[in-house]
Structures are given as C-alpha cells and as structure tokens.
Amino acid sequence: MTHSMLLKYLAPISNKHTSLHSEMGERALILGVSAFGHDSSCALIDATSGDILYALTEERFSNLKHDGGFPAASLALLVEKIDTEKLGWVSHVALNIDPTISIDRLKTELLNCLDAETAQLLVGELDKLLETSDIFHPDYFPLNYLEALLARRGVESAVIAHVSGKISWYGNFALRHKNLKTYLQAKFPGVNVVSVGHHQCHAASAFYCSDFKNSAVLTVDGQGEDETITLSIARGTEIGLLSQTRWPNSLGALYMQLAWYLGFDGDPRYPGLGDEYKVMGMAAYGKPIYVDIFREMGRVNEKGDFELIFGKHLEIAPVEGCPGHLQPLLAKHFFKALGERRSSCEPIEQRHYDIARSGQAFLEEMGVAIAKHLKTLCPDTDNLCIAGGVGLNGLMNMRILSEAGFARIFVQPASGDDGTSLGAALHVYHVLLKGKRCKPLANAYLGFDYGNHAIRSALEKYNLTFHEPESIHIEMGRLLHEGSIVARYYGRGEFGPRALGHRSILANPTLPNMKDAVNARIKHRESFRPFAPACLEEKAGDYFNIDIPTAYMLLICQARPAARLQIPAVVHDDGTARLQTVRSDLNSDLYQTIFEFNKQSGVPVLLNTSFNVRHGSRAAEPEVAFAGDRE
C-alpha cells in the first residue's frame, strides 16, 4: 500500500451518512469491529435480518500479516460502501472485547493480595478513576496516587509493585477501549456502541453461521479478556455458557510457545503467534516420541477444565514491556530435555520434526478430551461448532469429529480474531435486538469484488501482456493440465486465512514435483509446507477418507491409497490432506475450473494455495486492487 493510500484510509471518517440515512428511514446496520489484538477486522450486517453484507480483515489492506492495529482501512472502505451503495445507516457498533470482564478480574486479584478493607478502598478509588483517567503510567497520576494510598496503609513495597502492575495492565486495557468507544460515537453520532465478550464473539461467529438449530459450542484460543476456552450449549438464538478455562491456563499459548521454540518468530509482540500452522505442517515428518514431556505440561482435570502444569517444563513469567501481565513460557528443564531453541536461520533437524509431532499429538489429545467432556454436558445434541484460533488446527478438528461423539461439525472459516468482528455483530443482532435466526453462512466470500475493470487497469498500469479468452475456465483447465501454474483473482475476496478459489494460485496435483516447484519458485517458503486439494464435492469420497463436506479447509483427513499415487502434490508426507470440497452452487467459478481440468486430465482435483508469497520475499507490495482480499 502506498503512503498516499494509507493517508486516505487514516483520514477522518465521514459521519454524514448516519443522520442522512436515519432521516430517510433506510435500514439499520450493525458494524462489528475487532481491534488491538491480532487479525483486526470489520464486519457489516443487516440489523433487521442478520444478513452478512461484508467482512474484511485489515491485513488485506495494510499488507501487515496478522495486523492487530485499529482497522482504519477496513472501516473507511465500509463507510464508503455504505454511502455509495446506499446500504443504510449504522445503528450499532459491536466491539469484540468487553473490558468489564478484565476489570472484574483485576478486582478479584486485588482482593486476593490485599486485606479486605484496603482492597475495597482501592476498588472504590479505581472505579472513579476509570471514568476520568487517560492512562495508568508509572510515576504519574493516577497510578502514583494509588501507590501512595497503599503505602499510607502500610502495604509492603513488593505488594505495591505487584498491585501497581496489575492496575496498569488491566486499567490501560479498559481505558483503551473506552477511548475507542468515544471515537466511534463521535464518528457515528447517535450510535449504540456495545462491548461483547471475546469468547462470546467466537461462539456467536460459529453457531449463528452454522445451519444447526442446536449445538454444543467449543471456543479455544490464546486469550480473550480472561478466558482461554469456553464450553457452551446453543439453541435457536441463545448461547448459554457451561464452563470456562481462565488465563494463564491456555492451550493456545502453549502451542504458540512451541512454534517459537521451533524457530518461527511470529509477531514481535507475541513470539510464535501466526506461525502455529507451520508446526502442524512439520508434524507430518516426525514421530511423537516426546509426547510425554508435553503431557507433563498440561492436562484436562476431573472437572473437564484444561490446566497448565507449572514447574518442571513450564513457568509463569512477566511479559516484557507489559507491567502486571504474566504469560506461560518454556522453562529451563524443557531446553535441557529437548535442546536449545532453533534459530529461524538454522536448518530443521529430525528432532525438530519429532518435537512438532509430539506437540501436535498433545494438542489433539487435549482437544478430544475437552470435546468429550463437552459432549457429556450436551448429551442431547450431535452437533458441534468450533471457533477461536486453535480451531484452525485441522488435524485436531478431525480427531474431535472422529472421537468425541459428535456426528456433525461446523468450524468458523475465520476462527481467529478476524472472525470476532462478525461474531460481535451477530451477537448484538440475536441477543440485544432479539432478531430471528439469521441465514447460515453460504460461503466465505464476504470481501470486495474489484471486477474486470480494476484488474484490467492494474495490468495496463504495469504494462503486462494479457488477453481475455472466450472461456476462461476452458483456458485455465488446458493450462493447468499442461503443467502451468495459474493465479486466479475473481469475485469477492475470502474472509478468513484460507484461499478458497477467488484469491488462489492453482496447479496440477498429478505432477510429483509440483509441490516443490510452487514452494520454491512461487511461494518462497519452507519445503515441508503442504498444499490443499480442492476437489469437486461429489468426487471427494473417491480420493479422501471423509464423508462430509469441508468447504473451508478446516478438516485434515486421510487420502485414499490410490489418491496418494494419483495426486501426490496435495498429499502430505503422512498421507493426510487439508481438503476443500467445492460445490457448483456455492463456488461456481472454482467448480467450473476443476470441472474443465477434470475433462482433460480425468482428475477432479486441483492444488490450491493463497495468492501471495512468503512475507519479506518480494521487493514491492501490490496495489490495493490486488492486495485488498489476499490470504
């Protein structure tokens, strides 16, 4: 994205449409916003029907992987769409975080480390200051005032430092969202800004987008406000919480630590974040010989809750630059047992593959155990919905489907924090506005459609030679059959991290060297990384050991023996495949391309990967017409 484009997106957002559309009596809209974590996003739904109009992830415009800042471009572009297409007016903004949950956690911690009278006094002062303060910063009011209050009451200096850190962490978290709310109210005068609990957003994004009338709901991520795992039962338009696991007992955080240990740096703020899928890819090349070490680091207890085991292999430590916040980290004994962390520039050894497989096996065990417990809490439903970043682990999802007692499963295609903007909006529609159950998600194409004119303009701008065939699907089928690699940019962009045919690189899966060629020459990424097969839904059972549709690449199944020989480029080293099934009525463009390839090759499967390359491997970023909806 160019500097001028960025300035355009960061310019003040017009609020003229709100009053104008309101006076004209047009339909009300709910805007969902996910910000200040990772994978920031915006979603827009109809407040009268719950229909999903758009859902945009900020990284598609900023070209910053897992961008966690304020979704300025997504918001500005949605406002522009509202105005130009006369979609209606924003009556509600739904935020994907409820800071009152964090403040409740803070108050509990104060009660645990102070005597009752002092804690109550501090809580009272804190409630007043949260209404008027801008920041809790060391040596400045109001934090120094609260520290002095504790000192006058004879509280030990070490306890004061501990309490001050907690207030700084949780208090600033709440103030940041208070300021965001104020900003949004200024930009959308008269709007009702609603804060929705993070895991409530995950649960809503999964259940309301499914076609289940009732379902068990499992959410698993690194951390929301306080929760890391929630178990719920959903019926009709209501989602009821059954149990929750609280920070720092985080399965997602432990897996993120594993990604960091194996040499994937991830987000600078959260080492390993965003690279967890690489661990899943590495696991195919290893054996679970170290799984017992991971079993000493966490377990599902007799209540069905996941808990980390701190001590031998795992420790709880301060987060650098975040006073008052603690996180689980690998302990010294872990490094003694398994060796030092791999640097990202060092080669991958067999032990690394074995460690990845062991950690993946542990994750799957925990996921199955948690889901089995959830089934005992929801004996009357055979349906399961999954969301949260850990829900992107297709191997775990497949084990849960096979072993936990559920017959049907729906995994939100944007299971990470990007999906929480949509979940927040759907929660407000169903719970606050008491709307009738919205339509299930038909597909994940919720981004913008730039059309042939924009594509043609971009090609002409860079003086690229192009032609427009009479039938693009026949042409692509022929080129793919001949061994060419085709990049497809068509229609509305995908929401979620998977390329599902509209922003995809496609190739012939029957060629044994195609995986290595695309990894090395096109994607510039690690050689162990697998590619997904996109298969005509009605033919999937002939090639893969699965009997349900999986349109979003969120179930990793076994390929049948004949398929391993026929389509080697999309079968991983352990015989698995991250399958995408394609239906003609839900994904007509990709279906027609596979159909034409099948006519020439006799194989109804294509290799499908995202229309982008490894971060840092190119000199220039694409213009927004092409960056707008990439994986």
Side-chain angles (χ1 to χ4, degrees):
M1 180 180 291
T2 65
H3 180 67
S4 60
M5 289 177 180
L6 183 60
L7 289 178
K8 170 188 172 184
Y9 293 134
L10 292 176
I13 299 168
S14 169
N15 57 38
K16 65 181 180 180
H17 76 284
T18 304
S19 58
L20 290 176
H21 285 297
S22 177
E23 292 170 5
M24 294 168 62
E26 295 186 15
R27 67 177 171 180
L29 304 170
I30 304 170
L31 172 69
V33 176
S34 167
F36 304 143
H38 56 87
D39 297 289
S40 296
S41 65
C42 288
L44 192 69
I45 73 171
D46 188 319
T48 58
S49 66
D51 289 348
I52 304 169
L53 305 178
Y54 291 99
L56 309 174
T57 305
E58 186 69 9
E59 71 166 27
R60 313 296 170 89
F61 305 100
S62 67
N63 283 305
L64 299 174
K65 195 69 173 172
H66 302 293
D67 191 341
F70 179 75
S74 301
L75 182 57
L77 290 169
L78 279 181
V79 170
E80 184 178 327
K81 282 285 184 183
I82 292 170
D83 285 342
T84 58
E85 298 183 6
K86 302 186 185 307
L87 297 177
W89 61 285
V90 177
S91 64
H92 293 77
V93 175
L95 301 180
N96 74 326
I97 288 288
D98 182 358
T100 62
I101 298 173
S102 297
I103 295 302
D104 288 343
R105 171 68 181 258
L106 171 59
K107 292 176 179 178
T108 299
E109 295 205 10
L110 294 179
L111 288 169
N112 289 336
C113 63
L114 298 170
D115 65 84
E117 184 179 349
T118 301
Q120 291 296 343
L121 175 62
L122 194 61
V123 166
E125 291 296 310
L126 188 60
D127 283 337
K128 297 173 188 175
L129 291 166
L130 284 169
E131 294 296 320
T132 58
S133 300
D134 293 320
I135 192 170
F136 291 99
H137 190 280
D139 300 324
Y140 290 91
F141 182 86
L143 198 56
N144 59 0
Y145 161 71
L146 297 174
E147 291 172 346
L149 185 151
L150 294 175
R152 287 196 302 272
R153 296 188 63 85
V155 178
E156 295 179 3
S157 58
V159 176
I160 292 176
H162 174 77
V163 168
S164 178
K166 292 295 181 184
I167 293 173
S168 176
W169 173 252
Y170 290 110
N172 285 325
F173 182 85
L175 292 176
R176 180 174 60 185
H177 284 82
K178 184 187 76 169
N179 292 337
L180 174 59
K181 183 176 181 178
T182 301
Y183 170 79
L184 291 168
Q185 287 170 330
K187 292 304 176 184
F188 300 97
V191 74
N192 186 358
V193 181
V194 183
S195 296
V196 184
H198 190 75
H199 276 257
Q200 286 180 297
C201 295
H202 276 313
S205 76
F207 177 63
Y208 295 133
C209 287
S210 76
D211 61 358
F212 302 147
K213 293 181 179 179
N214 59 75
S215 179
V217 184
L218 169 63
T219 70
V220 192
D221 67 2
Q223 180 186 12
E225 299 89 351
D226 194 28
E227 299 88 347
T228 62
I229 300 171
T230 63
L231 309 182
S232 303
I233 179 67
R235 297 184 180 90
T237 60
E238 297 182 355
I239 302 175
L241 180 67
L242 298 172
S243 71
Q244 56 192 348
T245 296
R246 297 180 179 274
W247 183 263
N249 296 297
S250 172
L251 188 57
L254 180 58
Y255 201 79
M256 186 174 75
Q257 275 287 292
L258 175 61
W260 169 80
Y261 172 80
L262 290 171
F264 306 118
D265 296 326
D267 190 304
R269 300 169 301 163
Y270 313 110
L273 176 69
D275 287 336
E276 295 92 339
Y277 62 96
K278 296 181 182 180
V279 179
M280 189 168 59
M282 285 180 65
Y285 297 89
K287 297 180 180 179
I289 58 178
Y290 303 112
V291 69
D292 284 342
I293 290 179
F294 287 92
R295 289 170 181 156
E296 294 178 9
M297 300 165 71
R299 64 191 174 201
V300 175
N301 63 27
E302 62 279 359
K303 296 180 180 179
D305 299 329
F306 175 75
E307 58 184 20
L308 291 176
I309 304 171
F310 295 104
K312 186 176 180 182
H313 297 295
L314 203 62
E315 64 181 9
I316 187 76
V319 179
E320 185 176 351
C322 300
H325 190 40
L326 303 174
Q327 64 180 337
L329 295 178
L330 299 175
K332 291 181 180 179
H333 199 278
F334 183 89
F335 297 98
K336 288 181 180 179
L338 297 180
E340 291 302 311
R341 174 188 182 252
R342 184 184 79 89
S343 167
S344 58
C345 61
E346 293 176 340
I348 299 176
E349 302 171 358
Q350 185 57 47
R351 73 177 179 93
H352 297 124
Y353 291 116
D354 293 337
I355 293 167
R357 181 69 189 97
S358 301
Q360 174 63 33
F362 172 76
L363 178 80
E364 293 172 24
E365 286 181 7
M366 295 299 99
V368 170
I370 295 165
K372 282 184 174 180
H373 175 67
L374 176 56
K375 178 61 177 172
T376 67
L377 301 177
C378 308
D380 297 331
T381 183
D382 289 327
N383 304 320
L384 175 64
C385 292
I386 296 179
V390 181
L392 294 171
N393 194 295
L395 289 169
M396 181 192 75
N397 294 341
M398 195 68 200
R399 287 262 325 254
I400 287 174
L401 177 62
S402 301
E403 301 176 28
F406 295 97
R408 292 170 294 275
I409 190 172
F410 175 81
V411 185
Q412 164 58 236
S415 274
D417 278 7
D418 45 357
T420 58
S421 64
L422 179 58
L426 291 172
H427 174 91
V428 167
Y429 167 75
H430 288 95
V431 178
L432 183 64
L433 301 182
K434 306 297 182 184
K436 294 182 180 179
R437 180 72 183 271
C438 66
K439 298 174 186 175
L441 186 69
N443 57 62
Y445 306 115
L446 303 175
F448 291 146
D449 180 358
Y450 292 97
N452 284 337
H453 175 73
I455 295 173
R456 190 181 298 110
S457 297
L459 293 170
E460 291 171 347
K461 177 178 179 179
Y462 291 100
N463 297 315
L464 296 174
T465 302
F466 66 93
H467 73 283
E468 299 180 62
E470 184 175 340
S471 171
I472 194 167
H473 300 106
I474 292 175
E475 179 84 348
M476 286 193 293
R478 178 185 65 79
L479 290 169
L480 289 163
H481 179 56
E482 292 173 355
S484 295
I485 298 169
V486 173
R488 181 61 166 150
Y489 188 97
Y490 165 83
R492 297 185 65 176
E494 295 91 336
F495 185 53
R498 306 295 180 227
L500 301 171
H502 285 197
R503 305 290 186 270
S504 285
I505 294 171
L506 306 171
N508 186 336
T510 69
L511 303 178
N513 65 341
M514 186 57 75
K515 173 189 169 184
D516 292 337
V518 176
N519 266 332
R521 292 167 42 205
I522 307 296
K523 300 288 287 184
H524 307 291
R525 65 183 199 177
E526 298 91 349
S527 61
F528 64 79
R529 301 270 295 279
F531 292 109
C535 179
L536 302 184
E537 184 177 296
E538 63 272 22
K539 298 291 185 179
D542 297 340
Y543 290 82
F544 306 98
N545 186 23
I546 194 169
D547 58 3
I548 62 171
T550 173
Y552 305 122
M553 299 185 189
L554 290 168
L555 293 175
I556 296 178
C557 59
Q558 286 289 322
R560 298 194 183 280
R564 302 184 191 189
L565 297 174
Q566 194 172 9
I567 49 173
V570 291
V571 178
H572 207 14
D573 197 67
D574 59 354
T576 62
R578 192 182 73 191
L579 175 64
Q580 176 191 8
T581 55
V582 183
R583 269 175 55 178
S584 60
D585 59 332
L586 300 180
N587 195 342
S588 59
D589 183 74
L590 182 58
Y591 186 96
Q592 193 61 35
T593 302
I594 301 172
F595 183 83
E596 293 297 337
F597 175 76
N598 183 42
K599 283 171 63 175
Q600 300 199 42
S601 66
V603 176
V605 183
L606 284 176
L607 180 155
N608 179 13
T609 188
S610 55
F611 193 171
N612 62 7
V613 296
R614 186 180 182 184
H615 180 69
S617 63
R618 55 184 169 181
E621 299 291 355
E623 294 294 334
V624 74
F626 284 89
D629 288 284
R630 65 177 180 84
E631 183 186 12

